């Protein structure tokens, strides 16, 4: 069964990539994906992509799948970056205290009668979100004299949206910006498309909240324009996008130039996603990026140092931050069985087998092909820090990764971490006999398994017992 699933996974991966796409990626010198039966070489960005696809596959809630990386920028940071590329954005300033709000109103908005107060968290859906304190909405349009009061109710409070999960995120900053006279709201995004092996611009003549619902009910309203990565965006491409947006008052030529500038931002900043919702028309016939979300490729951190220096780890899952420091690939999920696997493909297969046997994975954790004992210890610390984890499944297929190293790491982890949940271990491959001997001689109460199917079955059984 396991071999068949892995074969299917490899086959599907090759279908998705295609020979043409692989050639394009080599020519671009971006990534070269190699799919093997036992080893998956994977970037952090691709790991997040696979985990996102997994969430969609098992929750049946997403209509569009796209590569997702860490969302590194808050709204005010994104606005500053877009401004550098000549993109129209509202005038605004980020503040982190009530005193700063008062000062910003006096210095930046002395003549404004109304202001927009936006909570700053790395998640979408803020407008329809709700604070645990009871305040409804993370975005408010208020009179200038009320901005201080509403900002005070947001700062330090937890905002829950569709994208934060029930735990929400703490608002440590709010963004004050001018209230522009908007006459029309639309949707604009650029993402990476596997089918065309390049950027894809997505546009809709209606924007604002609940774009997902709109895409589901009226898919014909969504237009997609693939961009040739070698030619770059052309006037014709930009014109198609503007036609899809169908602006009512904005100057057409100026709008085409704005679309081209947005693409240049996407390309030159190594974005994996740029989403503007809404992109709006103002009463003075301008196209403005009223709200935006930007994601960046982690592999480009070395050449986008200024952007990555803006990263705020307090807005991210602390387990993912700890994993990144230990050079581990980790994404938290909502299940009860913690997984530690080597290789992204094997991790995906492991989670699928757990689901097949009636369990739910608590995470995606890939220790990679060259993990040290110390990294294995850190992996166990991260797994056991999740209160939802009721059992742990270790599934190692030793190719580059040696089974004895994993075994030694498990034993050392037991000395540093109080293992209060059952641990199921399946080892196969390089130095497997040494690894099994280390585990046996350790005296630890481990549950061993012969293959992945057996391991998943025992993990689910241990969870329920």
């Amino acid at each position: 069964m396991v071999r068949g699933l892995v074969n299917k996974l490899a086959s599907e991966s090759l279908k998705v990539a295609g020979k043409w796409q692989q050639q394009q990626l080599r020519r671009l010198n971006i990534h070269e994906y190699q799919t093997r039966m036992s080893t998956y070489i994977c970037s952090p960005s691709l790991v997040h992509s696979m985990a996102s696809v997994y969430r969609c596959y098992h929750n049946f809630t997403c209509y569009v799948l796209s590569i997702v990386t860490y969302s590194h920028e808050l709204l005010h940071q994104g606005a500053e970056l877009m401004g550098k590329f000549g993109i129209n954005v509202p005038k605004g300033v980020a503040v982190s205290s009530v005193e700063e709000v008062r000062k910003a109103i006096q210095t930046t908005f002395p003549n404004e009668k109304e202001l927009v107060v936006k909570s700053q968290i790395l998640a979408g859906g803020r407008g329809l979100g709700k604070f645990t304190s009871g305040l409804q909405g993370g975005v408010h349009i208020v009179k200038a004299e009320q901005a201080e009061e509403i900002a005070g109710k947001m700062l330090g409070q937890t905002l829950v949206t569709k994208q934060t999960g029930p735990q929400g995120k703490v608002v440590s900053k709010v963004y004050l910006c001018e209230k522009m006279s908007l006459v029309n709201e639309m949707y604009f995004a650029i993402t990476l498309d596997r089918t065309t092996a390049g950027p894809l611009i997505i546009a809709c003549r209606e924007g604002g909240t609940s774009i997902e619902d709109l895409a589901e009910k009226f898919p014909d309203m969504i237009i997609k324009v693939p961009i040739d990565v070698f030619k770059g965006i052309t006037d014709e491409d930009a014109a198609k996008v503007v036609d899809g947006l169908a602006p009512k008052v904005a100057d057409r030529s100026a709008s085409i130039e704005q679309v081209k500038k947005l693409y240049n931002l996407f390309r030159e900043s190594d974005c994996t996603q740029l989403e503007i919702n809404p992109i709006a028309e103002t009463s003075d016939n301008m196209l403005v990026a009223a709200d935006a979300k930007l994601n960046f490729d982690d592999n480009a951190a070395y050449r986008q140092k200024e952007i990555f220096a803006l990263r705020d780890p307090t807005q991210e899952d602390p387990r993912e931050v700890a994993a990144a420091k230990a050079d581990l690939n980790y994404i938290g999920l909502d299940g009860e069985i913690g997984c530690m696997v080597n290789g992204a493909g094997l991790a995906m297969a492991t989670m699928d087998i757990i689901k097949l046997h009636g369990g739910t994975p608590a995470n995606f954790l890939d220790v990679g092909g060259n993990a040290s004992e110390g990294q294995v210890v850190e992996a166990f610390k991260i797994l056991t820090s999740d209160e939802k984890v009721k059992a742990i499944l270790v599934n190692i297929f030793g190719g580059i990764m040696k089974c004895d190293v994993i075994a030694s790491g498990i034993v050392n982890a037991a000395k540093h971490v109080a293992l209060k949940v059952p641990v199921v271990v399946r080892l196969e491959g390089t130095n497997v006999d040494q690894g099994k001997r280390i585990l046996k001689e350790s005296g630890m109460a481990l549950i061993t398994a012969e293959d992945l199917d057996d391991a998943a079955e025992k993990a689910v059984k241990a969870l329920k017992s």
Side-chain angles (χ1 to χ4, degrees):
M1 178 184 294
V2 175
R3 181 177 297 177
L5 283 171
V6 175
N7 278 331
K8 183 178 180 181
L9 177 62
S11 175
E12 290 299 317
S13 297
L14 288 172
K15 284 181 182 178
V16 170
K19 292 182 180 180
W20 181 83
Q21 181 180 3
Q22 291 178 6
Q23 291 169 354
Q24 295 287 77
L25 290 170
R26 289 192 190 97
R27 289 173 64 187
L28 284 169
N29 195 27
I30 297 176
H31 300 295
E32 184 171 338
Y33 301 114
Q34 297 179 354
T35 307
R36 301 178 183 173
M37 292 305 297
S38 61
T39 304
Y40 288 79
I41 300 173
C42 205
S43 73
S45 300
L46 187 56
V47 168
H48 272 259
S49 173
M50 297 180 76
S52 300
V53 171
Y54 179 83
R55 288 192 186 101
C56 296
Y57 176 73
H58 285 293
N59 293 332
F60 301 101
T61 56
C62 288
Y63 307 101
V64 180
L65 300 181
S66 62
I67 294 179
V68 179
T69 59
Y70 297 113
S71 182
H72 293 295
E73 290 205 350
L74 296 171
L75 174 60
H76 67 278
Q77 297 167 338
E80 290 174 6
L81 180 61
M82 287 190 289
K84 292 178 181 178
F85 281 81
I87 298 160
N88 299 327
V89 294
K91 179 175 65 176
V93 60
V95 295
S96 55
S97 68
V98 173
E99 291 74 19
E100 290 182 9
V101 174
R102 191 180 305 119
K103 183 179 179 181
I105 293 174
Q106 294 172 352
T107 58
T108 309
F109 307 105
N111 301 316
E112 297 291 338
K113 294 182 179 180
E114 289 184 298
L115 293 173
V116 184
V117 185
K118 300 185 177 185
S119 54
Q120 296 293 275
I121 60 172
L122 288 179
R126 291 165 299 147
L128 297 178
K130 185 177 182 179
F131 286 89
T132 53
S133 62
L135 178 65
Q136 185 69 45
V139 178
H140 288 258
I141 300 174
V142 298
K143 294 181 179 179
E145 58 268 24
Q146 297 176 319
E148 187 177 330
E149 177 187 358
I150 197 69
K153 292 181 179 180
M154 292 181 178
L155 289 167
Q157 300 299 316
T158 301
L159 177 61
V160 180
T161 77
K162 287 182 178 181
Q163 295 185 15
T164 63
Q167 74 279 1
K169 287 183 179 291
V170 176
V171 176
S172 57
K173 287 186 178 182
V174 297
Y175 187 53
L176 303 179
C177 63
E178 62 178 321
K179 179 184 178 295
M180 306 189 79
S181 178
L182 305 182
V183 298
N184 186 29
E185 295 185 356
M186 302 153 287
Y187 177 87
F188 177 94
I190 310 177
T191 187
L192 296 175
D193 180 46
R194 293 189 176 191
T195 302
T196 59
L200 181 73
I201 299 181
I202 302 170
C204 179
R205 63 179 180 269
E206 291 191 20
T209 58
S210 302
I211 185 66
E212 298 88 353
D213 295 336
L214 184 68
E216 179 189 9
K217 295 177 182 178
F218 307 103
D220 292 341
M221 292 177 64
I222 308 297
I223 69 106
K224 300 176 183 179
V225 181
I227 306 299
D228 187 307
V229 290
F230 300 107
K231 294 180 181 178
I233 189 168
T234 64
D235 289 340
E236 183 181 359
D237 294 331
K240 288 180 181 178
V241 175
V242 172
D243 289 341
L245 293 172
K248 298 177 181 178
V249 298
D251 181 78
R252 178 178 171 81
S253 296
S255 298
I256 288 174
E257 289 303 311
Q258 284 291 299
V259 169
K260 290 164 69 175
K261 288 177 180 179
L262 285 165
Y263 176 78
N264 289 336
L265 163 63
F266 180 88
R267 179 179 59 83
E268 294 182 22
S269 299
D270 289 297
C271 293
T272 56
Q273 177 180 299
L274 187 161
E275 182 181 43
I276 301 176
N277 188 26
I279 186 168
E281 296 178 88
T282 64
S283 57
D284 53 355
N285 303 342
M286 289 177 59
L287 197 64
V288 176
D291 203 347
K293 176 182 178 182
L294 296 91
N295 293 354
F296 302 90
D297 188 350
D298 300 284
N299 297 291
Y302 72 95
R303 66 184 176 204
Q304 301 291 350
K305 293 180 180 179
E306 290 186 11
I307 290 176
F308 279 76
L310 299 172
R311 189 171 186 172
D312 182 2
T314 63
Q315 285 290 319
E316 300 175 28
D317 187 326
R319 297 168 301 177
E320 294 186 16
V321 174
K325 290 180 179 178
D327 199 22
L328 301 168
N329 295 317
Y330 176 93
I331 298 97
L333 299 172
D334 300 322
E336 296 179 307
I337 299 178
C339 305
M340 186 174 77
V341 188
N342 68 314
L346 188 59
M348 294 289 286
T350 301
M351 293 190 292
D352 279 340
I353 295 294
I354 289 173
K355 291 285 290 187
L356 183 66
H357 285 281
T360 52
N363 64 273
F364 175 106
L365 197 161
D366 170 20
V367 298
N370 196 29
S372 64
E373 288 186 25
Q375 286 175 298
V376 176
V377 172
E378 288 301 315
F380 263 91
K381 288 181 179 179
I382 294 169
L383 291 177
T384 55
S385 69
D386 187 345
E387 295 180 353
K388 297 192 299 292
V389 171
K390 305 302 180 185
I392 294 174
L393 194 162
V394 179
N395 181 30
I396 300 298
F397 191 97
I400 302 172
M401 186 71 250
K402 297 179 176 62
C403 293
D404 57 324
V405 173
I406 291 290
S408 297
I410 294 173
V411 174
N412 287 333
K415 297 176 182 179
H416 294 85
V417 181
L419 292 176
K420 300 178 181 179
V421 298
V423 178
V424 179
V425 181
R426 179 255 180 167
L427 299 177
E428 193 60 64
T430 306
N431 295 349
V432 63
D433 293 333
Q434 296 96 311
K436 289 181 178 180
R437 185 174 66 252
I438 291 171
L439 294 177
K440 184 177 181 180
E441 294 175 353
S442 70
M444 295 175 62
L446 300 172
I447 303 171
T448 58
E450 293 301 318
D451 54 41
L452 176 53
D453 201 43
D454 183 40
E457 188 174 359
K458 287 180 176 178
V460 174
K461 183 178 180 181
L463 172 69
K464 296 179 178 180
S465 61

